[in-house]
Amino acid sequence: MNYNIALLKGDGIGPEIVASAVKVLDKIGEKYGHTFNFTDYLIGGIAIDTKGEGLPKETVEGCLAADSVILGAVGGPKWDTLPGDKRPEKALLGIRSALGLFTNLRPAKLYPALKDASPLRTDIVEKGFDIMMVRELTGGIYFGERGRRQGKYGEEAYDTEAYSVMEIERIARVAFETAMKRSKRVISVDKANVLESSRLWRETVHRIAKDYPEVECTDMLVDNTAMQIVRNPAQFDVVVTSNMFGDILSDEASQITGSIGMLASASLGDNTRGLYEPIHGSAPDIAGQNKANPIATILSAAMMLRYSFSLTEEADCIEEAVNKVLEKGYRTADLCGDSGATPLSCTEITERILEEI
Ligand code: IPM
Ligand code: MG
């Protein structure tokens, strides 16, 4: 088959990690007889610098015309002082929204080879964990009304968390459908003891749960969830939550896998076109030094094969190759800790993964 993929390399380490994912896809194409055609589009700081805006029209059009999209990362210190609606991050929210990608799947699982890289106590790590975080991606406080105004104590700023029944229903359905293919457990995370938007979230999730009688659905408050993720991550299977809670909890979940450099994500909407990106940022401190861990982006490419193109065998092949490379003890700098392993560069670990494919 022939697939057209839009590449949004973005800023910082973005171009390096996307280059690794491209090499892996080319290798998969060779092995299984597919052709992946890649077209670059600008997004983020680099788009601001060259086109005067973070999300140029051609980028949105290019992504809409593509079969799927791979994104590196956006942002960096150079653009940190721009007003909120001109920042590179705004472009990322813009493309998620423009493509209607309301679902964000963020799998956080422990690779047995990385047990030592996890900061958790051995007895906790021994039990393993495999969490599928289902984050709502185009609503909530990220997209609610915000601004500055005069308040009781002078100038104040506000951001609004708002969720409609429709938005909660559709993400809840994704979570239950996902759970049906896994161990049939959903934990819905909210702050219903304080927030009205969370009370609607909870009510709505429970209503949708009735359509999935086989799935066990439990509520958990977000503060407790933050604690449980480090206390007993094995209790989680599918976790469904709002845009902001999902942002925060997925970074936490990534740490216990050993490194944020391991966590892939798939952003999906109503059709098969998705946007696949690592959950980490642009890491400006190591940009251009060939030190970045490309695994999260490579695993995101595997998610693209699985979710957008239904190429299950090909996706499994990439995941197994990553696993084998880790089992053989190869590590990028972020995964070394005090293990004494010699860190491989971004291109070196990519080569090891290509060899396994
Ligand atoms: C993520 C990132 C983004 C988010 C930022 C860069 C806007 O942290 O994908 O988790 O908050 O969604
Ligand atoms: Mg984040």
Side-chain angles (χ1 to χ4, degrees), residues 89 92-93 96 106 135 142 247 279:
E89 289 82 357
L92 180 54
L93 303 192
R96 288 171 179 170
R106 300 191 155 187
R135 171 190 178 193
Y142 274 56
D247 177 45
I279 81 152

Side-chain angles (χ1 to χ4, degrees), residues 8 12 39 128 131 137 208 249 268 311 353-354:
L8 312 183
T39 314
I131 306 171
L137 202 61
I208 300 299
L249 294 175
L268 306 165
L311 299 176
I353 294 168
L354 293 175

Side-chain angles (χ1 to χ4, degrees), residues 96 104 106 135 142 243-244 246-248 250-251 260 278-281:
R96 288 171 179 170
N104 187 210
R106 300 191 155 187
R135 171 190 178 193
Y142 274 56
N243 205 340
M244 184 161 72
D247 177 45
I248 299 168
S250 60
D251 268 33
I260 194 168
I279 81 152
H280 60 69

Side-chain angles (χ1 to χ4, degrees), residues 173-217:
R173 285 201 188 281
V174 172
F176 288 110
E177 293 291 340
T178 307
M180 287 298 285
K181 295 181 208 133
R182 296 172 49 106
S183 65
K184 301 203 171 87
R185 286 182 296 122
V186 169
I187 291 183
S188 170
V189 174
D190 62 37
K191 187 69 184 175
N193 53 351
V194 178
L195 304 177
E196 197 53 35
S197 52
S198 281
R199 289 189 270 271
L200 181 65
W201 180 279
R202 198 175 273 213
E203 260 168 61
T204 308
V205 169
H206 282 273
R207 198 176 55 253
I208 300 299
K210 295 202 184 98
D211 294 342
Y212 299 88
E214 284 168 64
V215 178
E216 177 196 304
C217 176

